[in-house]
Structure formats: structure tokens, C-alpha cells
Amino acid sequence: MTKAEIQQVKLRFGIIGNTESLMRAIDVAIQVAPTDLSVLITGESGVGKESFPQIIHQFSRRKHGQYIAVNCGAIPEGTIDSELFGHEKGAFTGAIGERKGYFGEADGGTIFLDEVGELPLPTQARLLRVLESGEFLKVGSSKVQKTDVRIVAATNVNLTKAISEGRFREDLYYRLNTVPIQIPSLRERGEDVILLFRKFASDFAEKYRMPSIQLTEDARHSLLSYPWPGNVRQLKNITEQISIIETNREITASILQTYLPSQQEQRLPALLGVKIGKGFDSEREILYQVLFDMRQDVTELKRLVHEIMSERGAGSNAVPASNTAFYSPSVVTPPQSGSTINIVHPLGKQQDDDIQDTEEYIEESLSLDDLEKELIRKALDKHHGKRKNAAKDLNISERTLYRKIKEYGLD
Ligand SMILES: Nc1ncnc2c1ncn2[C@@H]1O[C@H](COP(=O)(O)OP(=O)(O)OP(=O)(O)O)[C@@H](O)[C@H]1O
Ligand SMILES: [Mg+2]
């Protein structure tokens, strides 16, 4: 590919930037497009991964076929197999009619599996089969279906880590990663940050019918030295905020600084806003977030303990009755149903203790539920109901958010 050809592709897909690594990524996408090889696009959140599967589809022989983009993190675990692979009529309660599924629909086309690291393990097994043989089974059917689909996947999480933690199949990783395309982070793109800022500033000026904002020399330096943890998405959002809020269209470094969260604050949720005030409100919100994170950890721990104890409980015949080090399989489930938090109690503990523990647990659970609900509501409000962005803020997967919205009746 010549530079001019790559420039044309950038223009067509609205990609700004001249960094060598970005140009190379576009070049690889175009080169690999006519083949049927699987491509895995990696890169931090907000780097612009979503244009790449479209480039690959458009430059392939499949361009007249279907292009289906699936956000694997946004589909509830219970329905993902049926969405991807279809189901037979009556396959499960509520399966009134039959469904073709994306793999059936995209026959002759391309499927983009975004956030592929979020796929549940059973779905990963089905996906591996379709990648290896082009064959799949609809949910509730034993009749093998054939399909000719090209897979492009993307992830912003470290799949190697997910593999070592047993959350992602290694064989599937290698199969998806036949051709890897790594999209560079914004902090690796040097002067591109200025080009992108100008482009976004001019787009927002047009959108809001105002003169475009301009950067002073020192503001350009600030933009160049900032690490951009949220990458191009963050730059775009900040440019929009400044375009709307600042009446003086010349943006100095000190004005810009007020929009750039400092390093320490970056660990804090974006729902605190760009400028974190020192008032009670933000402190309370910080506390909410800390509690929310802790709760995630505690829930996970409880689930693990429960799993381990149930395994032991299953073999309880082998456990001598006098052995109080073992735990009884008695499980107390808090009344706030929907959540999978279970608690197990040691054998030999007095009944009273058990009751007291349970009461404490319920109390703790209720107040934490309130906090969690409040935090989720705030995140949803802030993002005008956009679950994807709210989930990012809350540092949970979209699927978990979806479940919690249902659980708390927030929809
Ligand atoms: N090079 C670029 N030129 C112009 N706009 C860009 C560029 N890269 C990203 N963007 C814009 O930035 C935003 C984020 O990009 P995108 O949604 O593709 O991110 P992503 O890599 O898929 O992130 P995530 O992993 O969080 O889903 C989009 O609005 C996109 O249009
Ligand atoms: Mg994306």
C-alpha cells in the first residue's frame, strides 16, 4: 500500500493521525482483508478499534455480505448462545419461534466480536468449533449447521491474563489471533493529539454553531505531555466539554488543566466529573466508589468460599461428624434476591450465633445494596442511560450492570 492509498482509507473511515504505528495498523488491515484469516484487534480503551473491522469487511470479497457487530459484553449470559447461534422453537422457556442467530445470518459476511474477552466459557467452546469447522449447533438442536463467516474480534483487556486466570480458552485465543493488529495508545502518537484536537474542535464548532476553540502554545504542550488514559475517546469528550463551556475561544494551559484529571485522580471514577471539588458531595461519591469496589471483591470472595465449601460439602459423607474444622453446607441467602451472594456457617457454632450473623449480614447487605443502587443510578444519569459508559465508570462489565439494573428495578 502506498501512503496515498492509506490516506484515502483514513479519509473514508474518518481516521485522523499520521503516526507510523497507526499507518501500519491500517496497512495490515487492508492487506489481510481479502483473506479469510481471523483478526484480533487489541489496544487500550478508546484508541479507535472499531473502525478496523469495518475496513477489513469493506476491503474483502464479503463486502456485499452482512456485517454484524456484536458487543459480547453487553449480551446477558443467558441469551448469548441463542443470539449468536440461534435456537429452535421451544428450546427454552420463552423460545416461542425459532431464531437464526448471527452466525446463520452473517453467512457470506463478517462478524465483529467486540469485547471478546467477555464471552462466557461455554460460548467460547461453540465459537472455537465454528472457527475450526464452520459448523455450529443451534441451542436446543442436534442438527449441524454450516456457515461461512469471517471473524474479526477486538479486546481492550489483556487476554493472556484472562487465559492464566482460566477465563479465556488458550486454543480460542490462538485461533482468533491469527493476524494481530495492535492499535497504539494516544500517548504513543506524538503530534497526532494536536491533529485530533483540531479535528474534534472544528466538528464541535460546526455542531454547536460556534467559533472553533484554539490552543495557545503552552496548552499545546500540556496536550502533548498528558498521558491520556482514556485515549482518543477522552480527548474527544474533553474537546466537546471545552467547546461548550468556555466562552473565551482561546484555550490556555491553565484552562485546559482544569479539564484534565490529574494522575492521582485517574483511579477515581469518571462519574466524579472532570473537576473534583473538595465538597461533601464528591467525598461522599469517592466513598461510594470505594465501597462499591470493596463490595465487588467481597461478593466474589463469598462466592468462592461458597463454591469451595459446597465441593467439600458434597463429599461430606467422608467427613467425620466431629470434625468442626469443616463447614456445613447450610447456606443463608440474603432476602435481596437476584444476587448470588451466599454465606456458609461453620459446623458446631451455636444456633444463636448463626441467627445473629445472619441478621448482621442482612443489615450489611441492605445498606450496601442502597449504596450500590445509588451509585449505579448516578452513573446511569450521568451517561443519560448509556449502559456501556456507565459500566466503564463503575468498573464492571456491561453484563453485570445489566443484571444489577434488573435486580434493583432501575430500568
Ligand atoms: N484516529 C481517530 N480519528 C478520529 N476519531 C477517532 C480516532 N480514533 C478513535 N476515534 C474516536 O474515538 C472514539 C472511541 O473510539 P472507539 O469506539 O473505536 O474505541 P475503542 O478502541 O473501541 O474503545 P473500547 O475498547 O473502549 O471499546 C470514537 O468516537 C471514535 O470515532
Ligand atoms: Mg470499542
Side-chain angles (χ1 to χ4, degrees):
M1 274 275 149
T2 64
K3 274 217 156 118
E5 283 167 317
I6 297 178
Q7 287 300 345
Q8 279 206 327
V9 175
K10 278 165 48 187
L11 210 61
R12 180 169 161 197
F13 291 89
I15 299 173
I16 308 291
N18 297 317
T19 315
E20 194 48 42
S21 48
L22 181 70
M23 301 284 270
R24 204 166 44 241
I26 298 170
D27 194 18
V28 174
I30 301 166
Q31 301 296 343
V32 78
T35 73
D36 271 341
L37 297 173
S38 304
V39 180
L40 181 64
I41 297 156
T42 55
E44 291 175 18
S45 181
V47 289
K49 294 187 285 298
E50 277 163 47
S51 308
F52 285 80
Q54 292 176 32
I55 297 177
I56 294 169
H57 178 70
Q58 289 303 329
F59 280 84
S60 75
R61 63 177 173 87
R62 298 169 177 272
K63 68 176 177 191
H64 299 298
Q66 286 245 37
Y67 171 83
I68 300 181
V70 186
N71 185 339
C72 303
I75 307 175
E77 204 163 328
T79 57
I80 195 158
D81 282 353
S82 133
E83 292 218 10
L84 290 175
F85 303 102
H87 62 244
E88 287 299 341
K89 189 175 165 181
F92 47 85
T93 324
I96 305 160
E98 81 170 298
R99 175 181 192 145
K100 202 165 181 186
Y102 300 141
F103 274 87
E105 278 173 27
D107 196 2
T110 308
I111 291 187
F112 169 37
L113 295 176
D114 201 2
E115 298 185 26
V116 73
E118 296 282 329
L119 278 183
L121 282 165
T123 315
Q124 292 179 29
R126 283 176 183 267
L127 178 61
L128 184 65
R129 176 168 181 191
V130 85
L131 276 164
E132 281 179 341
S133 62
E135 289 177 355
F136 67 97
L137 298 176
K138 285 181 164 183
V139 175
S141 162
S142 53
K143 189 164 154 255
V144 175
Q145 312 275 326
K146 274 283 201 188
T147 189
D148 166 29
V149 171
R150 204 274 181 80
I151 302 289
V152 181
T155 179
N156 60 27
V157 299
N158 183 345
L159 283 185
T160 328
K161 184 162 171 270
I163 292 168
S164 68
E165 290 167 359
R167 288 183 289 109
F168 204 82
R169 292 179 66 122
E170 192 171 9
D171 45 7
L172 178 60
Y173 170 72
Y174 289 118
R175 196 66 190 68
L176 289 173
N177 200 25
T178 314
V179 179
I181 297 183
Q182 164 87 36
I183 315 298
S185 66
L186 185 54
R187 80 191 77 85
E188 296 167 88
R189 295 193 211 174
E191 293 276 329
D192 278 5
V193 67
I194 308 288
L195 293 180
L196 282 157
F197 176 87
R198 279 207 202 116
K199 168 74 168 71
F200 295 143
S202 116
D203 288 352
F204 292 124
E206 196 176 320
K207 181 173 172 190
Y208 299 113
R209 297 171 193 282
M210 295 164 143
S212 179
I213 48 170
Q214 310 279 341
L215 293 175
T216 61
E217 188 56 29
D218 58 346
R220 281 162 52 95
H221 283 296
S222 303
L223 217 58
L224 282 163
S225 56
Y226 186 70
W228 299 108
N231 292 292
V232 185
R233 181 182 292 115
Q234 185 189 10
L235 175 66
K236 192 172 178 177
N237 289 345
I238 284 174
T239 313
E240 183 166 27
Q241 287 173 29
I242 303 177
S243 299
I244 296 168
I245 296 167
E246 296 301 327
T247 41
N248 183 351
R249 307 310 277 170
E250 193 176 64
I251 308 303
T252 62
S254 59
I255 294 173
L256 186 63
Q257 284 307 330
T258 63
Y259 289 87
L260 302 175
S262 75
Q263 299 298 85
Q264 289 105 307
E265 287 159 357
Q266 273 157 30
R267 257 298 298 142
L268 296 172
L271 66 113
L272 298 179
V274 177
K275 303 172 197 178
I276 299 190
K278 296 275 175 285
F280 171 73
D281 255 352
S282 37
E283 272 170 24
R284 196 179 56 177
E285 285 175 356
I286 293 168
L287 199 62
Y288 275 159
Q289 180 66 34
V290 172
L291 283 167
F292 187 82
D293 285 350
M294 267 170 56
R295 183 175 195 192
Q296 300 283 113
D297 294 344
V298 170
T299 306
E300 179 60 11
L301 268 174
K302 283 180 178 167
R303 196 185 55 74
L304 275 174
V305 170
H306 176 55
E307 255 177 42
I308 295 165
M309 293 313 162
S310 319
E311 276 164 24
R312 289 196 182 180
S316 62
N317 286 346
V319 179
S322 61
N323 190 345
T324 52
F326 280 82
Y327 291 81
S328 84
S330 80
V331 171
V332 179
T333 311
Q336 295 275 306
S337 64
S339 115
T340 53
I341 312 166
N342 294 319
I343 187 167
V344 288
H345 288 279
L347 262 185
K349 264 201 136 196
Q350 293 203 338
Q351 186 85 353
D352 278 2
D353 282 358
D354 268 1
I355 292 166
Q356 207 184 334
D357 276 1
T358 314
E359 278 170 357
E360 271 173 19
Y361 178 67
I362 290 168
E363 240 174 57
E364 167 210 351
S365 178
L366 281 174
S367 47
L368 280 178
D369 277 353
D370 287 346
L371 284 174
E372 190 173 67
K373 191 171 163 185
E374 169 81 3
L375 196 65
I376 290 173
R377 207 167 35 74
K378 270 180 198 274
L380 286 168
D381 281 354
K382 186 193 159 204
H383 293 288
H384 311 292
K386 263 208 103 183
R387 291 180 182 178
K388 182 174 178 174
N389 299 345
K392 272 217 171 92
D393 259 359
L394 294 165
N395 213 4
I396 56 177
S397 75
E398 244 176 282
R399 187 177 300 123
T400 307
L401 179 61
Y402 179 91
R403 183 169 54 75
K404 288 190 182 291
I405 288 172
K406 283 243 147 5
E407 196 176 310
Y408 292 129
L410 289 169
D411 44 358

